[in-house]
Amino acid sequence: MWAAADLKSVVRLPHPFSVERVSFSPTGAQVLTVARDARVYDAGVWTQPRLVLDQPGNIVIAVFSPAGDRVATGGRDNLAMIWELRNGDPLPRLQH
């Protein structure tokens, strides 16, 4: 993560795989990374992800809901999944 004012690195989010996507939640309180799995980090607590979201096939995209209380993921397994951020539980799977 980089500071916008001077483009200096302010934090590195640990991830065992090559990160393909990163996004902030609508409130800016969380950061979502995508690299085979999806990881949710709480702002200010960067050392460990709060949640690791995983599905049978590698996750290739993940986005926060507009309210910031859920994450939708899509994977190479032809599944779209929606996850509750309060506990990391998936809602029923959406098969494509």
Side-chain angles (χ1 to χ4, degrees), residues 24-31 42-43 46:
F24 280 95
S25 66
T27 64
Q30 297 170 319
V31 172
D42 288 330
W46 305 113

Side-chain angles (χ1 to χ4, degrees), residues 2-42:
W2 305 88
D6 57 10
L7 298 180
K8 289 187 179 179
S9 178
V10 292
V11 69
R12 292 176 186 255
L13 303 176
H15 216 296
F17 309 111
S18 177
V19 176
E20 298 179 22
R21 291 174 177 32
V22 178
S23 60
F24 280 95
S25 66
T27 64
Q30 297 170 319
V31 172
L32 175 65
T33 63
V34 176
R36 295 188 193 175
D37 60 16
R39 295 174 183 228
V40 178
Y41 295 84
D42 288 330

Side-chain angles (χ1 to χ4, degrees), residues 27-92:
T27 64
Q30 297 170 319
V31 172
L32 175 65
T33 63
V34 176
R36 295 188 193 175
D37 60 16
R39 295 174 183 228
V40 178
Y41 295 84
D42 288 330
V45 186
W46 305 113
T47 56
Q48 294 286 16
R50 184 169 70 79
L51 292 173
V52 176
L53 310 174
D54 202 5
Q55 62 191 68
N58 291 346
I59 293 174
V60 294
I61 191 163
V63 295
F64 283 102
S65 67
D69 59 341
R70 294 180 175 166
V71 168
T73 60
R76 296 194 191 283
D77 53 3
N78 297 327
L79 288 176
M81 296 180 69
I82 300 173
W83 308 79
E84 293 284 355
L85 288 185
R86 62 180 156 70
N87 57 17
D89 288 343
L91 274 60

